[in-house]
Amino acid sequence: MSAPISSDEVRSDQVQPDQVIRAQGLTRRFGDFVAVDALDLAVERGTIYGFLGPNGSGKTTTVRMLIGLLTPSAGSVTVLGHSLPRDAEWLKRRIGYMTQRFSLYEDLSVRENLQFVARIYGLGYRQAKARIRTLLDAYELADMSRRRAGAMSGGQRQRLALAAATMHEPQLLFLDEPTSAVDPQSRRDFWEKLFDLVDAGTTILVSTHYMDEAERCHRLAILERGKKRADGPPQQLMDDMGARVVEIEAPDQRRLRQQLLALPQVVSAAQLGSRLRVLVADDIDDPVAWLRAQPVAVGAGTIEAARPSLEDVFVISTGGAERE
Amino acid sequence: MNPLRRILAILAKELTQLRRDRVTMGMIVMLPLIQLMLFGFAINTDVRHIPAALVDQSNTALSRVLAQAVTATQVVDFTERHATPEQAQHAIVQGRVRAALIIPDDVAKRVARSPSLGLGLGTPRATDEELSRPVAQWLVDGSDTMIASSIKGLRNMPLGELLRKPVNQSTPTFAVALLFNPEQRSAVNIVPGLVAIILTMTMIMFTSAAIVREGERGNMEMLINTPVRPIELMLGKIVPYIFIGLIQALIILGLGHLVFRVPLGGGLLALTSATLLFIGASLSLGLVLSTIAKSQLQAMQMTIFILLPSILLSGFMFPYEGMPRAAQYIAEALPATHFMRAIRAVLLRDALLADIRTDALWLLGFMLAGLIVASLRFKKRLD
Ligand SMILES: Nc1ncnc2c1ncn2[C@@H]1O[C@H](COP(=O)(O)OP(=O)(O)O)[C@@H](O)[C@H]1O
Ligand SMILES: [Mg+2]
């Protein structure tokens, strides 16, 4: 079950012009510890590509290697047709990077931060002024342009960070867990901005540990302990996950779960409020009927099929942690 | 165009941050003020009014006149009296006094025969014990050499006044003409040196934190992903502090001139060049430390590591010529030593730029080397 569900492989023998990021065998070790393990990636122009994985799965480390901030221990990276880490400086003018931790100056105001970024990217006085006005309007920062960044809320800071990362209109944007310190409404608004950027031709690579965000990506790589466990469009990952979802209502869920997990056909079983979400291997044609026929299910209430979610894909592709 | 723009970006950002940092802003002005007052008033190699004990075993009019004559020199103040030398020694051990004068009961006889009276008895013969005996004895806490030598200076105190008799002055072997600082005030030598010490302290302290701070506050990952080049970053970081260094030098020299009457001789060109070069050298040394330190605390420790030898070996406290060879080599490696020489030459001996060119070139070398090393050490990478 831990084999990668990969819809198409990255091939080394053909360079497609539409691929803005290509990585092969990308590996990073810290001492003996392997943080990123032989990753193959291909990101197409004008799409949002997501990294989904829990904390410590190697998302930040991978992003840093794709930007040229970390040197890979092994493997190769080509970004916008240029090889890294050799052309890292060339790349810096063409990519934007929003770090996981807020990295603008907290003791500077919104406008001062944007002015700094504009100057450091070499924008002229008029050009910078116009661009800053556009960004302040686009990211709803105009009426707080004098506020110190350190005094802003998570959502406001995140909009400021995105405004700064897009100052020089990069073709490629790296966003490392951009919404981790933000409320749900701000998260939805933030994704609207991302789609606006994609419509304008930007390619975005975003890392997240939120399933609902991952679902909005055009394509997704699921990372776990430095390894890529799955790669493809979210819908396809759910369709091809190799299991069906059944939800069971039962009085003693704890015992039922233990008994179900003992069955070889059951990939995982997780408590979801009053119900138990069970993943059954898809070599069983009618999982609802099959479950009803199991002796352990005697006494259970409703048993019905459910729509698969990315969470299910995640559980399956990471090897069903519940089994242990 | 773009490199200049990026340097200005860093510079403007540093200035804004500095303006908002009240503690640092306060230090820029208070540090030179406090140090100047402390060092200017406290350091005095011309020691006076040392507390001393008096043991007068003779208790005659003559012994009282002798004690008064000693007090009149202002070298010592008799703060206590004791009956026996043992008691006086005890007072020295306890630290209440630093010395004790013991006047023996036969002081009158000794004075009468003393050769220092110059009564024409001629040179005392070594065999004639009575003639070669001193008038009285000093017990001195010799652990502080400065105090000991002040009291040693009393050894040949003339006794003529004592008996109201004319003294036949002996002709000195050497005539000494003091070309500079004729009044021999320590502040004249110390204040110019203070410029070197205070600038070493503040300049290295400010910039040694400059790069690590970006890391500690989490700004580094953003900064190294911009097109800024290391040398542009370094220049943008030191330029604001050049002005601050000049302000501090101005405070110290201005007040030194007004309060301690330190002469401001020499050429303005020489003074400005030496000061600017030294500020540049200290700032770029601070930048090098900043690329080595892992935290602001470490940066501070490294600053002290440079500051201590700068105070001790640069010639600020002890003459360079009196130090052992090894210490002199270390001193040459410190920018403060070269600036110390240059600024004293300019201010106190009216030297011109041409006279201090060797030290000026050293400082220029330190500055360029520091900038290059810091830029090379600064990597736009996280590994
Ligand atoms: N500089 C480093 N030195 C040592 N270990 C590191 C370093 N950076 C990251 N790691 C380790 O690599 C793993 C992956 O980290 P990271 O890429 O930050 O994961 P994520 O961003 O998915 O949370 C973690 O176990 C982390 O502790
Ligand atoms: Mg991370």
Side-chain angles (χ1 to χ4, degrees):
Chain A
M1 276 299 166
S2 59
I5 309 165
S6 193
S7 54
D8 62 312
E9 297 293 333
V10 183
R11 279 204 202 97
S12 54
D13 50 348
Q14 58 186 92
V15 176
Q16 282 148 313
D18 274 10
Q19 288 184 349
V20 287
I21 302 178
R22 274 164 37 82
Q24 276 166 326
L26 194 59
T27 302
R28 174 70 204 205
R29 284 182 282 271
F30 295 109
D32 287 340
F33 178 74
V34 186
V36 174
D37 196 356
L39 225 58
D40 294 334
L41 290 172
V43 177
E44 279 178 27
R45 189 179 298 281
T47 62
I48 301 185
Y49 190 97
F51 280 165
L52 176 65
N55 283 336
S57 55
K59 302 185 295 292
T60 301
T61 307
T62 307
V63 168
R64 284 172 174 167
M65 286 193 285
L66 297 179
I67 288 173
L69 293 186
L70 272 181
T71 312
S73 308
S76 67
V77 184
T78 310
V79 178
L80 299 175
H82 283 248
S83 162
L84 282 182
R86 195 192 62 210
D87 291 340
E89 279 307 306
W90 179 89
L91 202 63
K92 291 194 193 305
R93 291 152 208 279
R94 289 158 184 90
I95 59 169
Y97 175 34
M98 187 173 152
T99 52
Q100 180 168 0
R101 180 182 161 190
F102 183 73
S103 58
L104 290 166
Y105 296 99
E106 299 199 0
D107 48 354
L108 296 191
S109 72
V110 170
R111 184 179 293 278
E112 288 162 345
N113 266 303
L114 292 177
Q115 276 168 344
F116 171 72
V117 175
R119 285 181 184 140
I120 211 115
Y121 279 101
L123 271 66
Y125 178 75
R126 279 152 184 271
Q127 205 186 350
K129 209 173 159 187
R131 185 77 185 126
I132 289 172
R133 190 174 325 120
T134 310
L135 289 170
L136 285 176
D137 288 339
Y139 295 102
E140 294 138 45
L141 294 163
D143 48 356
M144 56 182 91
S145 64
R146 286 158 172 277
R147 194 174 303 175
R148 304 262 170 95
M152 300 204 300
S153 76
Q156 293 163 344
R157 278 190 205 202
Q158 170 218 43
R159 296 206 301 275
L160 172 59
L162 184 62
T166 54
M167 174 65 70
H168 54 301
E169 300 177 79
Q171 320 170 27
L172 176 58
L173 204 50
F174 292 86
L175 311 172
D176 193 5
E177 298 203 32
T179 56
S180 51
V182 169
D183 62 273
Q185 181 57 45
S186 303
R187 267 166 62 194
R188 275 193 293 280
D189 295 344
F190 186 79
W191 274 82
E192 293 310 313
K193 313 268 185 251
L194 296 192
F195 283 114
D196 291 344
L197 284 166
V198 168
D199 287 344
T202 314
T203 309
I204 298 178
L205 189 143
V206 58
S207 81
T208 180
H209 59 254
Y210 292 117
M211 301 293 168
D212 59 330
E213 279 188 1
E215 220 157 322
R216 291 162 165 254
C217 298
H218 294 111
R219 197 181 170 97
L220 198 60
I222 293 181
L223 297 184
E224 192 228 10
R225 280 185 251 164
K227 286 202 170 68
K228 188 172 81 174
R229 303 296 185 180
D231 187 354
Q235 191 54 53
Q236 192 181 339
L237 290 178
M238 291 187 271
D239 292 345
D240 298 350
M241 72 179 180
R244 283 161 216 254
V245 189
V246 179
E247 289 191 346
I248 308 179
E249 222 165 285
D252 189 355
Q253 293 197 20
R254 197 173 288 273
R255 213 193 57 211
L256 178 60
R257 182 170 167 272
Q258 293 303 328
Q259 290 167 333
L260 284 174
L261 283 175
L263 300 171
Q265 295 89 342
V266 173
V267 180
S268 108
Q271 215 166 318
L272 256 186
S274 64
R275 284 185 295 183
L276 206 57
R277 193 171 173 94
V278 184
L279 299 185
V280 181
D282 66 357
D283 43 12
I284 288 158
D285 281 336
D286 185 353
V288 175
W290 177 79
L291 268 176
R292 223 175 250 303
Q294 296 302 311
V296 295
V298 174
T302 343
I303 299 183
E304 57 188 13
R307 225 178 66 82
S309 73
L310 268 183
E311 184 128 23
D312 303 322
V313 177
F314 187 82
V315 165
I316 289 185
S317 56
T318 58
E322 270 91 340
R323 286 223 145 227
E324 282 124 48
Chain B
M1 197 60 192
N2 276 352
L4 195 63
R5 235 174 234 162
R6 290 192 292 262
I7 294 173
L8 286 177
I10 302 280
L11 199 155
K13 182 216 89 167
E14 289 290 318
L15 276 179
T16 312
Q17 287 187 311
L18 192 64
R19 219 176 47 224
R20 303 216 166 121
D21 185 351
R22 298 241 169 269
V23 177
T24 306
M25 284 299 274
M27 268 202 322
I28 291 168
V29 179
M30 291 313 288
L31 216 71
L33 277 183
I34 293 172
Q35 300 273 32
L36 180 69
M37 292 304 153
L38 286 181
F39 279 93
F41 284 119
I43 296 191
N44 200 345
T45 46
D46 178 17
V47 189
R48 280 161 178 273
H49 301 293
I50 303 165
L54 179 63
V55 180
D56 187 354
Q57 294 174 321
S58 143
N59 210 12
T60 58
L62 182 69
S63 67
R64 280 191 288 278
V65 175
L66 178 62
Q68 269 166 21
V70 170
T71 311
T73 63
Q74 295 190 358
V75 173
V76 296
D77 283 341
F78 290 115
T79 53
E80 42 191 84
R81 276 155 209 284
H82 294 289
T84 65
E86 288 71 30
Q87 284 171 331
Q89 195 171 344
H90 192 60
I92 292 176
V93 170
Q94 288 188 327
R96 294 205 306 276
V97 295
R98 307 303 293 263
L101 177 63
I102 291 130
I103 304 180
D105 50 7
D106 60 346
V107 65
K109 215 159 59 182
R110 290 170 182 240
V111 167
R113 293 185 180 177
S114 169
S116 65
L117 265 173
L119 294 178
L121 286 176
T123 324
R125 275 160 294 151
T127 47
D128 192 346
E129 204 188 295
E130 271 203 336
L131 276 182
S132 59
R133 276 197 307 174
V135 166
Q137 188 192 12
W138 276 104
L139 296 177
V140 181
D141 172 5
S143 48
D144 189 322
T145 52
M146 202 107 76
I147 285 178
S149 62
S150 291
I151 293 184
K152 276 189 202 158
L154 291 173
R155 272 188 304 196
N156 295 322
M157 195 181 94
L159 293 174
E161 273 175 57
L162 229 57
L163 303 171
R164 296 197 182 77
K165 287 193 176 144
V167 180
N168 63 339
Q169 287 286 352
S170 57
T171 317
T173 315
F174 299 110
V176 178
L178 296 171
L179 283 178
F180 306 101
N181 194 9
E183 300 157 68
Q184 291 291 283
R185 286 181 299 118
S186 343
V188 167
N189 202 35
I190 283 171
V191 171
L194 258 189
V195 180
I197 298 306
I198 292 174
L199 286 182
T200 299
M201 184 192 290
T202 52
M203 295 295 100
I204 297 183
M205 194 164 67
F206 289 152
T207 46
S208 69
I211 305 286
V212 270
R213 194 177 47 225
E214 300 273 348
E216 273 192 346
R217 294 197 187 158
N219 311 115
M220 190 57 91
E221 200 170 351
M222 179 270 302
L223 200 57
I224 59 177
N225 196 49
T226 69
V228 72
R229 295 199 191 99
I231 184 75
E232 296 161 355
L233 179 65
M234 300 300 156
L235 286 173
K237 288 243 170 208
I238 67 169
V239 172
Y241 294 105
I242 292 178
F243 293 105
I244 288 166
L246 282 178
I247 291 172
Q248 292 190 322
L250 217 66
I251 292 177
I252 303 164
L253 291 179
L255 278 182
H257 185 62
L258 292 177
V259 180
F260 299 105
R261 289 178 290 125
V262 173
L264 297 181
L268 189 63
L269 178 68
L271 178 63
T272 318
S273 320
T275 308
L276 277 176
L277 284 172
F278 178 61
I279 290 173
S282 301
L283 289 174
S284 56
L285 179 59
L287 283 179
V288 173
L289 298 186
S290 202
T291 60
I292 300 170
K294 297 269 188 292
S295 66
Q296 292 195 62
L297 182 67
Q298 273 187 14
M300 193 59 95
Q301 290 168 334
M302 289 184 192
T303 302
I304 292 170
F305 189 75
I306 300 288
L307 182 64
L308 275 182
S310 294
I311 292 177
L312 296 174
L313 304 182
S314 63
F316 175 63
M317 300 201 86
F318 316 110
Y320 173 89
E321 292 74 13
M323 294 189 301
R325 186 57 56 85
Q328 288 183 344
Y329 283 138
I330 298 173
E332 291 290 332
L334 296 166
T337 308
H338 298 277
F339 181 61
M340 194 75 65
R341 266 185 221 144
I343 193 169
R344 278 179 176 162
V346 172
L347 290 181
L348 308 180
R349 303 196 300 273
D350 297 350
L352 300 175
L353 188 53
D355 302 316
I356 58 161
R357 61 178 179 275
T358 315
D359 289 313
L361 283 175
W362 268 95
L363 290 174
L364 183 68
F366 279 125
M367 182 172 88
L368 295 179
L371 273 179
I372 292 169
V373 170
S375 301
L376 288 179
R377 281 194 54 86
F378 182 78
K379 293 277 184 298
K380 289 179 75 179
R381 291 185 172 276
L382 292 170
D383 45 15

